[in-house]
Amino acid sequence: MRATSGSRRVVGHRSCTAGWVACMRRTSVLPVLAAALTVALLAPAPALAGGRDDAPAGQGRHQVTVPTLVGRATLSADFLAPGPPSGALATAANGRQGPFAGQVVPGFSGMVDAGDGTFWALPDNGFGSKANSADFLLRIYHVTPRWQTAGGGEGAIAVGDFLSLSDPDHRIDFPIVNDATPDRLLTGADFDVESIVRAKDGSFWIGEEFGPFLLHVDRTGRLLAAPVPFPDGKSPQNPYLQPGETPRVRASRGFEAMAGSRDGRFLYPITEGAFVDDPVQRRRTIYEYDTTAGAYTGRTWAYQTHQDANVVGDAFMTGRHELLLIERDDFQGAASVMKRVYRVDLDTTGTDGFVEKTLVMDALKIANPDHLGAGDGYGTDDPFSLPVQSFETVVQLRDGRLLIANDNNYPGNAARVAGTPDDTEMDLVDLRQVRAPRAGDVTVIGHRGASGYRPEHTLASYETAILQCADYIEPDLVSTKDGVLVARHENEISGTTDVADHPEFAARKATKVVDGHSVTGWFTEDFTLAELKTLRAKERLPAVRPANTAFDGLYEIPTFDEVLDLARHSTTCDGQPVGVYPETKHPTYFDSVGLSLEEPLLAQLRANGLDDRRSPVIIQSFETGNLRQLDRLTRVRLVQLVDCSGAPYDLVAAGDPRTYRDLVTRAGLAQVAGYADGVGLCKDLMIPRNADATLSTPTPVIRDAHRVGLEVHGWTFRRENQFLPADFRSSTDPNAVGDLAGEIRVFVRAGMDGLFSDNPDVAAATVG
């Protein structure tokens, strides 16, 4: 871990310097490469001298998978299939009000490849509930995508014949809407059908949510047997729910996803959400059903979502024990955070008891070099994204490409164009193998995520930073009352959450002395994690970044574990693991209230397999004592933060007269090198400003730090004029965007090895 000089070392940055189109991530604010890449051959991170990558060109390069859009087809949201009017009780939205003059096709919740370029497509129960979907007929449509490709094409979905789901043989023993009719056509008030698998004999198995049930219908849609009940609970809509019986499955959280084995014998339905009584609300359960025996086998597997509210949208079996699985949130458009496809190996379970998952595709960033669908609304340029609320279909075609599609919840969703119902779309994605470019020199750290674009310290902010090609994401860590580390800039949270709007917490407002300063507000250490999870984040600088206020009230406060989980299941734009750069906030204060930060921090790193010297983790602190303690407890890399004024509070509390300025003298840096791998410097310590606020000449601090083996990371680089030197301001408007790239270039020329930025896209494009 230690360099030959005796000082600790920070592993340097992996960036893009080659000329291939993917390297546009370093020269364009809208990078081409998908930020979530599947790494085929991960090269070990080298220990670097002075933060520089001196490896020969090509050394350590590897193959990565770049999801690339190669085909797209859409069906108008307002398309009506033949049949009686539908939607009489549907909630009006986006300028549409039922009843509609035929049968609405509200997107596709599941699909089956017919093998001839056509597909069997399953809409769900219609309009979202039993109460409003009695006039919606359950069908399986035969559809043909007429792909728009690089060579042209219509880009439309042709809807052909359909199979009507029915129960003429009275397999169902509870009342249904069309009980008294001969055909007994099934409706959205009877079942909420969501997932579909085709058997070898041409019949279909359907996963459903009201029971949840498994339905087996023949090739005409006729029910072959009574609905198969779920052995582990009922939903509130279950027709067999007894008076006083507590539903264990939440409403609309049944079998949204179901995969089928290739030989047709086994089905793998997956609970969309957690069981009501499960203490681990991020757990989703994969079941196995034997179609030959007509029974569940008793085998189950646990899958962990990134946050409690995330759902499993679809699944597709790709091997004997391997499946693709969609994990998504319920946001749409720019608010979307999680629209991912993971590969799950049922034969591999981690020490935490959950199946291992590997990122295959982040649907929020798909390369679109041919600009397919460009101009169709948000997310249709390059890169392309599928930012719909209900990303609910993934099918691997025989040639290995992925088909993805949406349920548009007609008429409610408007992810592409505000005020206009989303079309149903089918997107064809090629998982292209490309050679990753050689690593570069300068580390980009997403400061509190991409806080220039999303409320800071939210998974939305961290995900945006990853999409914008940050190498590390930076959570500031504070503790809850019950000792859980969460990501907040400060333990006082009135400026970053809606806590003041919660009357149940009004009495928690307090005045405390933190690091010698009197602070009034609400403090994380006075809340349990469960209580903090009821709050929602808001923009800390609304006057500076008014666009970010559009996301106020949407996102949870993430735990450190959730941040680590996101990072370790993501990759950078050049195919490396996403790093995490946590800061311990006010460690002396938290020690004083019995909530030490260091032990739970290290415990979470161990739990996530990120606690060795080659882990992409750097721990930082403005205090010195806890870094010295951590140096004895971990081989993870450490960085001493240094402010432009004042002193580390642990030194102040101990009566030590040393200041931050003392830490960056030659003698001070030599001492820092004994317990840390690098320094995180306030910008003015590296290049001070003149009286007119222009940049002066660099100080010796970068050179002196390098001489004792320390890397230098600078903070904080932001694009608004008020944060920039006068040389790089665009106007007198303090909130207007200035020349951040110009400022960064000056500091990089001065020898800075990495930078914290609220705008990782600008930073990444500049340092490449």
Side-chain angles (χ1 to χ4, degrees):
M1 172 139 187
R2 296 185 183 279
T4 55
S5 66
S7 64
R8 296 167 57 104
R9 296 299 315 127
V10 174
V11 172
H13 162 68
R14 304 163 299 274
S15 65
C16 174
T17 57
W20 177 68
V21 65
C23 298
M24 290 299 290
R25 79 159 180 97
R26 292 305 194 195
T27 56
S28 170
V29 172
L30 292 175
V32 172
L33 252 180
L37 302 173
T38 302
V39 179
L41 297 171
L42 280 179
L48 304 181
R52 302 301 183 184
D53 183 354
D54 299 317
Q59 181 175 319
R61 294 174 68 186
H62 51 274
Q63 293 289 326
V64 296
T65 300
V66 179
T68 303
L69 188 68
V70 294
R72 186 169 186 264
T74 63
L75 175 70
S76 170
D78 296 318
F79 175 85
L80 294 174
S86 61
L89 299 179
T91 301
N94 296 310
R96 307 301 193 269
Q97 172 72 63
F100 307 104
Q103 287 291 299
V104 168
V105 179
F108 301 135
S109 289
M111 280 192 182
V112 171
D113 183 1
D116 59 358
T118 68
F119 299 85
W120 291 102
L122 177 75
D124 62 10
N125 84 311
F127 303 104
S129 72
K130 276 179 174 280
N132 66 10
S133 299
D135 59 5
F136 182 83
L137 298 175
L138 301 184
R139 294 171 172 177
I140 306 171
Y141 288 94
H142 190 215
V143 301
T144 303
R146 296 169 179 163
W147 300 111
Q148 177 193 15
T149 68
E154 183 181 349
I157 299 172
V159 179
D161 296 335
F162 56 83
L163 311 178
S164 292
L165 303 190
S166 64
D167 182 35
D169 300 320
H170 291 260
R171 307 288 187 181
I172 300 167
D173 64 1
F174 54 81
I176 62 174
V177 171
N178 292 319
D179 224 341
T181 65
D183 290 337
R184 287 171 54 88
L185 296 179
L186 300 180
T187 73
D190 305 321
F191 296 101
D192 185 4
V193 294
E194 297 285 358
S195 47
I196 185 168
V197 171
R198 196 171 195 185
K200 293 291 187 182
D201 63 2
S203 64
F204 296 93
W205 284 94
I206 295 171
E208 188 274 344
E209 293 204 303
F210 286 163
F213 297 115
L214 297 178
L215 307 178
H216 191 197
V217 302
D218 68 13
R219 62 179 64 220
T220 71
R222 184 186 188 119
L223 197 63
L224 291 170
V228 179
F230 179 50
D232 284 351
K234 300 171 186 174
S235 86
Q237 293 82 22
N238 189 300
Y240 302 117
L241 192 71
Q242 298 300 306
E245 183 180 2
T246 301
R248 190 165 182 247
V249 179
R250 289 185 173 89
S252 191
R253 288 296 182 259
F255 295 148
E256 183 76 50
M258 181 172 69
S261 62
R262 291 184 174 181
D263 63 5
R265 178 172 178 179
F266 295 105
L267 301 175
Y268 295 91
I270 307 172
T271 55
E272 183 180 12
F275 291 118
V276 172
D277 59 353
D278 193 335
V280 182
Q281 287 292 295
R282 289 167 63 190
R283 179 167 27 225
R284 309 293 178 263
T285 307
I286 303 170
Y287 286 80
E288 184 178 66
Y289 180 82
D290 187 334
T291 62
T292 301
Y296 284 91
T297 67
R299 298 181 71 196
T300 62
W301 297 262
Y303 173 89
Q304 185 181 49
T305 56
H306 289 286
Q307 288 195 308
D308 292 357
N310 285 2
V311 299
V312 174
D314 196 18
F316 184 87
M317 214 74 187
T318 58
R320 188 174 179 184
H321 299 106
E322 189 176 81
L323 54 84
L324 300 177
L325 180 150
I326 291 174
E327 181 177 340
R328 66 168 178 84
D329 57 29
D330 266 333
F331 300 121
Q332 64 174 339
S336 296
V337 180
M338 186 63 54
K339 313 290 180 186
R340 292 186 169 195
V341 176
Y342 284 109
R343 191 176 308 279
V344 172
D345 183 356
L346 299 182
D347 282 345
T348 306
T349 301
T351 56
D352 56 4
F354 294 102
V355 291
E356 296 286 350
K357 63 182 184 182
T358 304
L359 184 65
V360 172
M361 180 181 70
D362 189 330
L364 294 181
K365 194 173 185 186
I366 301 170
N368 187 17
D370 300 312
H371 300 278
L372 305 180
D376 283 357
Y378 179 84
T380 57
D381 207 326
D382 183 17
F384 179 89
S385 70
L386 187 64
V388 294
Q389 178 187 9
S390 297
F391 171 26
E392 291 189 1
T393 295
V394 61
V395 175
Q396 186 176 65
L397 306 185
R398 295 176 184 180
D399 59 9
R401 295 182 297 179
L402 299 186
L403 171 69
I404 59 176
N406 69 308
D407 171 358
N408 65 17
N409 298 305
Y410 185 83
N413 289 169
R416 295 294 192 196
V417 179
T420 301
D422 283 332
D423 290 339
T424 301
E425 60 182 275
M426 300 170 64
D427 300 313
L428 195 58
V429 179
D430 184 23
L431 302 178
R432 293 182 178 175
Q433 292 287 311
V434 301
R435 194 160 183 79
R438 178 180 177 269
D441 297 333
V442 181
T443 304
V444 174
I445 304 129
H447 185 239
R448 308 172 194 170
S451 52
Y453 309 104
R454 298 293 185 275
E456 65 187 33
H457 293 312
T458 58
L459 286 198
S461 184
Y462 298 130
E463 165 73 352
T464 301
I466 293 168
L467 296 178
Q468 292 185 348
C469 301
D471 300 294
Y472 285 79
I473 53 177
E474 185 223 15
D476 295 337
L477 300 181
V478 294
S479 181
T480 67
K481 183 178 182 179
D482 44 352
V484 180
L485 298 184
V486 296
R488 287 292 88 191
H489 175 50
E490 292 290 343
N491 56 327
E492 199 289 299
I493 55 173
S494 62
T496 60
T497 74
D498 61 359
V499 63
D501 299 329
H502 286 251
E504 68 272 25
F505 298 136
R508 306 275 181 96
K509 190 173 185 180
T511 299
K512 301 188 180 188
V513 177
V514 181
D515 292 2
H517 301 285
S518 181
V519 182
T520 298
W522 287 263
F523 298 83
T524 59
E525 65 268 25
D526 296 331
F527 292 79
T528 65
L529 177 62
E531 290 172 331
L532 281 180
K533 283 293 188 178
T534 67
L535 307 181
R536 291 297 179 265
K538 68 178 184 180
E539 171 56 37
R540 186 175 63 89
L541 303 171
V544 180
R545 294 164 178 168
N548 289 10
T549 63
F551 307 103
D552 285 357
L554 296 182
Y555 306 124
E556 297 179 9
I557 297 174
T559 65
F560 183 40
D561 179 59
E562 289 168 345
V563 178
L564 291 174
D565 187 59
L566 175 67
R568 70 187 178 92
H569 290 104
S570 303
T571 50
T572 65
C573 287
D574 41 24
Q576 298 292 337
V578 169
V580 182
Y581 208 131
E583 179 187 344
T584 58
K585 300 292 289 191
H586 311 299
T588 294
Y589 169 80
F590 275 106
D591 279 346
S592 74
V593 296
L595 292 168
S596 178
L597 303 177
E598 292 75 28
E599 293 81 5
L601 187 159
L602 296 180
Q604 283 299 331
L605 292 179
R606 283 193 298 272
N608 284 274
L610 294 170
D611 60 341
D612 65 46
R613 69 183 183 89
R614 301 184 76 78
S615 297
V617 175
I618 302 172
I619 301 173
Q620 56 177 328
S621 178
F622 277 103
E623 296 190 13
T624 64
N626 72 320
L627 289 177
R628 292 179 186 274
Q629 176 189 4
L630 287 165
D631 184 37
R632 296 189 296 270
L633 298 175
T634 182
R635 294 178 66 79
V636 169
R637 291 155 289 158
L638 307 175
V639 161
Q640 176 68 64
L641 294 175
V642 184
D643 207 341
C644 284
S645 61
Y649 186 71
D650 62 310
L651 298 184
V652 174
D656 189 319
R658 286 178 295 165
T659 67
Y660 284 120
R661 293 281 177 169
D662 293 319
L663 295 186
V664 292
T665 63
R666 287 188 179 182
L669 289 168
Q671 290 181 346
V672 170
Y675 62 83
D677 304 280
V679 285
L681 302 181
C682 168
K683 292 187 297 184
D684 290 356
L685 292 175
M686 296 182 284
I687 307 179
R689 298 189 186 185
N690 297 311
D692 62 356
T694 59
L695 285 180
S696 184
T697 56
T699 70
V701 66
I702 297 176
R703 179 198 64 200
D704 292 344
H706 286 163
R707 282 176 173 172
V708 294
L710 294 170
E711 284 200 16
V712 177
H713 294 169
W715 55 272
T716 300
F717 290 83
R718 300 171 165 124
R719 66 178 182 171
E720 292 88 2
N721 283 329
Q722 64 182 282
F723 303 117
L724 290 166
D727 331 36
F728 300 102
R729 296 171 189 164
S730 61
S731 68
T732 57
D733 180 354
N735 298 323
V737 174
D739 183 12
L740 174 58
E743 182 195 26
I744 291 171
R745 282 191 287 267
V746 173
F747 280 82
V748 170
R749 284 197 297 268
M752 180 180 66
D753 304 302
L755 70 152
F756 295 81
S757 181
D758 292 5
N759 311 97
D761 54 344
V762 178
T766 303
V767 303

